[in-house]
Amino acid sequence: MGITTVIPKITFAEPTTEQRQAGALFVDDLFDLAQDALDEAGTSMWILLDRLDIAFADSPALEANALRALFRVYRDLEPRNKVHLKIFLRSDIWEAITKDGFREASHITRDLRIDWNENTLLRLAVQRLLRSSALREHYGVEQEVVLSDIQLQRDLFYRVFPRQIDQGSKKPATLDWCLSRTKDGTGQNAPRELIHLLTETRNSQLNRFETGQAAPDGESVFDRQSFKDALPTVSKARLTQTLYAEHPTLRPFIEALEGQKTRQNAVSLSAVWAVSATDAAKVAEQLVVIGFFEPRLTDYWVPFMYRPALEMVQGSAEGVSASDDE
């Protein structure tokens, strides 16, 4: 005896009577069925959506339309108390899809913005350190006590790591050095790059121990040079896995800057890219938006994070006013 197979057609518009008789199902009806089943079971369902920034990386227009549609679905599901959407979205993507107007945005009130600053990034780094029972025992600290006090977190950080990477009265402290090296042109620090830098620093330090190089000074377990050795790997990963992956059309312009000076203007960029100064300025503004360039008056400055991967030379290109990048 054969098994009857029914393949319904799910529609996103109210189907006609004929379409229903042919097996068409309205998507809202399916959500209602889910709501009833979950209500009967006494439970709820959460649908989590993340990494949306790479779902439509090749088409900004498609990305904007798809995300607007997603938030309309979010609004449509709100009356149901058993089926919930939780959407994780980078703030720059949200700003991009709302800049030309998005009426539904004003109705989305249950939102939480995660902002990263020096203290929250310091806590994140210290939390990672405190996962090691050997490290806690070595420094004689208790996890709960350290995490309850920001000053204790800072004290532990500078017991584990050296005070400075580059020594000198005008050189930044280690945490400031790390943040400046993992900050993009928008001035934002992402925890991913900071953790990557500290992870690669650990790998570099382990290699130094294994090869019998001099131990770090004082009670630190990390040498200054380990940070410098780690930076190129972090820089390359950020450039290739984030910028190139999310903005492939801008890749040729970025690659053309390999070996160039870190401060440019529209005229110097036009020579590098072999385009007019007007077109160079338009491309440069796109690079500002994605965080590759930091605008400084009429010039464009490449953040420290991207310099090692492109082997860029600190200083101003020919025709650009000299300045102190530090």
Side-chain angles (χ1 to χ4, degrees), residues 175-238:
L175 180 59
D176 295 329
W177 186 94
C178 292
L179 297 183
S180 70
R181 267 61 182 178
T182 55
K183 180 171 61 177
D184 69 3
T186 66
Q188 299 298 312
N189 281 102
R192 176 176 54 188
E193 272 68 50
L194 176 61
I195 294 303
H196 191 190
L197 175 61
L198 296 178
T199 299
E200 291 299 329
T201 299
R202 179 197 62 191
N203 295 339
S204 176
Q205 185 61 51
L206 287 173
N207 181 66
R208 293 178 66 85
F209 285 141
E210 291 169 357
T211 54
Q213 299 185 55
D217 297 330
E219 64 175 345
S220 297
V221 293
F222 289 91
D223 188 84
R224 297 181 180 87
Q225 188 59 41
S226 296
F227 284 84
K228 296 180 179 180
D229 293 341
L231 190 57
T233 301
V234 179
S235 178
K236 185 176 181 180
R238 170 73 182 197

Side-chain angles (χ1 to χ4, degrees), residues 123-142:
R123 179 183 174 86
L124 177 64
V126 172
Q127 280 179 316
R128 295 295 183 103
L129 291 174
L130 290 171
R131 288 181 181 179
S132 169
S133 58
L135 184 140
R136 296 197 304 269
E137 182 178 352
H138 177 74
Y139 287 102
V141 296
E142 296 182 12

Side-chain angles (χ1 to χ4, degrees), residues 216-287:
D217 297 330
E219 64 175 345
S220 297
V221 293
F222 289 91
D223 188 84
R224 297 181 180 87
Q225 188 59 41
S226 296
F227 284 84
K228 296 180 179 180
D229 293 341
L231 190 57
T233 301
V234 179
S235 178
K236 185 176 181 180
R238 170 73 182 197
L239 184 66
T240 59
Q241 297 175 19
T242 300
L243 282 197
Y244 289 168
E246 295 181 9
H247 309 283
T249 58
L250 294 174
R251 179 171 181 166
F253 298 100
I254 298 174
E255 289 181 328
L257 290 169
E258 184 173 352
Q260 299 291 331
K261 294 294 184 67
T262 55
R263 193 175 185 117
Q264 304 278 337
N265 61 19
V267 174
S268 65
L269 290 172
S270 70
V272 174
W273 294 334
V275 298
S276 68
T278 301
D279 288 341
K282 292 179 180 178
V283 174
E285 288 304 316
Q286 294 180 58
L287 295 177

